[in-house]
Amino acid sequence: MAMTIEDKLGLNRFNVDGTPHIEINGNYDDQTLKERLVMACPAKLYTLREDNTVDFNYEGCLECGTCRVLTGGRIVKSWDHPIGGMGVAFKKG
Ligand code: SF4
């Protein structure tokens, strides 16, 4: 039986040290961009709160860069790879 995307993602390992490698401005005033960001992250790490601010959890980040490119300095204020040895370790590509 073929593995689903979710099955494959579940095999990845994440090393985190409490230092977020991505910083955001969850109050950024562009509702459309916030909704696009929530939909675009393949790991579903961005969520829209009831007050329309964006919440974010860096743990589980796949380091794809989609959020950085999509928001172009808005919402995502800074983006970097985690320091050596931290972040995602892919198991199935
Ligand atoms: S780099 Fe990719 S996986 Fe990580 S938060 Fe941004 S969009 Fe999500």
Side-chain angles (χ1 to χ4, degrees):
M1 188 166 125
M3 293 180 75
T4 66
I5 296 293
E6 289 75 18
D7 290 337
K8 292 178 181 177
L9 287 173
L11 296 175
N12 294 334
R13 297 286 176 262
F14 299 91
N15 297 315
V16 295
D17 65 354
T19 307
H21 61 288
I22 298 172
E23 292 183 48
I24 72 163
N25 173 10
N27 294 317
Y28 192 79
D29 188 20
D30 184 331
Q31 187 66 22
T32 301
L33 185 60
K34 287 188 281 194
E35 291 173 0
R36 286 181 180 161
L37 177 61
V38 169
M39 287 189 293
C41 174
K44 306 296 182 205
L45 300 180
Y46 293 91
T47 55
L48 207 51
R49 295 185 183 121
E50 285 186 15
D51 65 0
N52 277 330
T53 59
V54 175
D55 194 17
F56 172 64
N57 180 9
Y58 74 97
E59 299 173 5
C61 177
L62 300 171
E63 301 171 36
C64 67
T66 301
C67 57
R68 178 179 60 87
V69 173
L70 178 69
T71 64
R74 303 161 292 169
I75 303 180
V76 174
K77 296 190 303 183
S78 67
W79 192 106
D80 204 349
H81 289 284
I83 60 172
M86 295 294 164
V88 64
F90 293 103
K91 298 296 182 189
K92 287 284 185 180

